[in-house]
Amino acid sequence: MREKIINKATELFLNLGFKSVTMDDIATEMAISKKTIYVHFKNKTKLVEAVTFHLFDTICDGIDCICNTSKNPIEELYAIKMFVMQHLNNEKTSPQYQLKKYYPQIHDVLKFKQFEKMHDSVRDSLKHGVDTDVFRNTIDIDFISRMYFTGMTGIKDNMFFPPEQYNMDYLMESYLEYHLRAIVTEKGMKILNNFIKQNQS
């Protein structure tokens, strides 16, 4: 039952926002009593925490799978972007922003976990790109991986990128291209241009 509650709460939180959804809403959607939810979660904050870290673990597993099977580091980053967007329901409720505003402690722990995960996986991806002559061998891998994380979290700040002006898919797509064009070799540029051309909607 705990897992079912987490799954339903995840769906509702991502569709409607962390703030909007109440414990009553979740109980009604699941056709169970609110008491049943409280058996597993002391309060809404504990449920938000469980949902947040469950989603994080799910996304991490998917990213690991993509990294193990991708053809090259450029397509790998785009595949990760697509996977994350699907799991976050295209971020239409700005989950990171809502988490930061209403559950700052959970947000801070999550951000650190995200940094650790992304820093490691992007560093590995950059190294692989350098080894295969897709990325320039003069780049500072540690610095670039930290900058990538900073940029990816920065574009989710509603103050700088208001959602009524920028949708998240556009922001992530644009930032990815911006990031890659700064570090690719001539060989990498051909791969990037071909990929963008083939995947333009």
Side-chain angles (χ1 to χ4, degrees):
M1 180 54 76
R2 179 185 165 85
E3 196 173 325
K4 286 181 181 176
I5 294 168
I6 288 174
N7 289 339
K8 177 52 71 176
T10 300
E11 179 191 322
L12 291 173
F13 287 149
L14 290 180
N15 275 319
L16 304 170
F18 288 110
K19 176 70 171 170
S20 307
V21 178
T22 65
M23 298 295 247
D24 283 314
D25 294 331
I26 297 164
T28 302
E29 280 284 324
M30 295 185 71
I32 60 174
S33 74
K34 200 160 62 166
K35 277 184 182 176
T36 305
I37 299 177
Y38 284 118
V39 167
H40 299 279
F41 303 98
K42 189 169 69 174
N43 50 46
K44 185 181 170 185
T45 300
K46 287 294 180 189
L47 178 55
V48 169
E49 184 178 59
V51 163
T52 300
F53 296 123
H54 170 73
L55 196 55
F56 173 78
D57 289 339
T58 302
I59 289 173
C60 284
D61 290 343
I63 288 173
D64 288 342
C65 186
I66 290 167
C67 291
N68 290 333
T69 56
S70 63
K71 285 199 296 184
N72 61 66
I74 291 173
E75 293 190 21
E76 177 184 295
L77 281 176
Y78 278 98
I80 288 171
K81 185 217 86 163
M82 288 296 297
F83 176 78
V84 171
M85 289 295 286
Q86 284 165 3
H87 270 77
L88 293 181
N89 206 17
N90 287 326
E91 304 210 27
K92 61 187 179 189
T93 59
S94 304
Q96 295 264 30
Y97 174 76
Q98 288 209 358
L99 205 60
K100 184 178 181 179
K101 187 173 181 182
Y102 300 112
Y103 300 94
Q105 286 182 306
I106 297 172
H107 172 268
D108 289 347
V109 174
L110 176 67
K111 190 170 182 180
F112 184 72
K113 284 166 75 78
Q114 285 175 327
F115 170 71
E116 285 187 315
K117 176 64 183 174
M118 196 184 283
H119 186 47
D120 285 344
S121 63
V122 172
R123 205 165 40 187
D124 290 345
S125 176
L126 289 168
K127 188 174 184 317
H128 178 54
V130 169
D131 291 343
T132 53
D133 194 33
V134 172
F135 300 146
R136 298 196 317 275
N137 62 11
T138 53
I139 64 171
D140 183 334
I141 288 174
D142 188 71
F143 172 75
I144 297 288
S145 66
R146 289 171 188 273
M147 285 298 294
Y148 184 73
F149 176 80
T150 304
M152 270 298 182
T153 50
I155 60 173
K156 294 176 183 178
D157 191 319
N158 288 7
M159 185 172 77
F160 300 121
F161 298 99
E164 60 274 12
Q165 192 173 343
Y166 296 99
N167 73 60
M168 189 50 64
D169 192 52
Y170 171 80
L171 285 172
M172 289 184 80
E173 192 86 16
S174 300
Y175 181 69
L176 254 183
E177 187 176 342
Y178 171 79
H179 161 75
L180 287 168
R181 286 193 184 280
I183 62 173
V184 289
T185 58
E186 193 174 333
K187 175 183 172 182
M189 186 67 81
K190 285 178 184 171
I191 295 170
L192 177 61
N193 287 336
N194 285 337
F195 182 82
I196 290 171
K197 192 174 177 182
Q198 287 167 12
N199 290 274
Q200 275 176 337
S201 48

